[in-house]
Amino acid sequence: MWYPDIMVTGASSGIGAETTRVLSLHGVHVIMGVKNMFAAKDVKETILKEIPSAKVDAMELDLCSMESVKKFASDFKSSGL
């Protein structure tokens, strides 16, 4: 079954991290939109330990900053996803 790429904001903790984990468990490629890239790295590593085939990427995104949103959009578009 084919799943689209999905972006989850706030994925470095709490419900965002759990949403990322569960989507990954079902084969979805998840792009984590996060402010804290260090925390995102930990979440990604935890998910990959549980689900070695998971497709998870983290990209910096601060929804309180329009500059960050523009940079994220530009980086996302240029990534080819």
Side-chain angles (χ1 to χ4, degrees):
M1 180 176 279
W2 176 83
Y3 294 101
D5 300 325
I6 294 178
M7 187 193 54
V8 176
T9 59
S12 60
S13 65
I15 196 164
E18 181 63 9
T19 300
T20 299
R21 186 189 73 77
V22 172
L23 288 170
S24 296
L25 191 60
H26 291 283
V28 175
H29 176 202
V30 180
I31 297 92
M32 301 166 60
V34 298
K35 280 195 270 190
N36 185 335
M37 291 295 288
F38 294 109
K41 181 178 179 269
D42 291 342
V43 170
K44 180 178 177 177
E45 287 175 359
T46 300
I47 291 170
L48 289 173
K49 283 180 188 172
E50 179 185 351
I51 313 157
S53 63
K55 296 176 228 127
V56 180
D57 292 299
M59 296 177 66
E60 192 168 5
L61 173 62
D62 180 354
L63 294 174
C64 294
S65 164
M66 187 53 75
E67 289 302 314
S68 177
V69 172
K70 288 177 183 178
K71 182 177 182 330
F72 175 87
S74 175
D75 293 346
F76 183 81
K77 285 173 74 175
S78 66
S79 74
L81 295 173

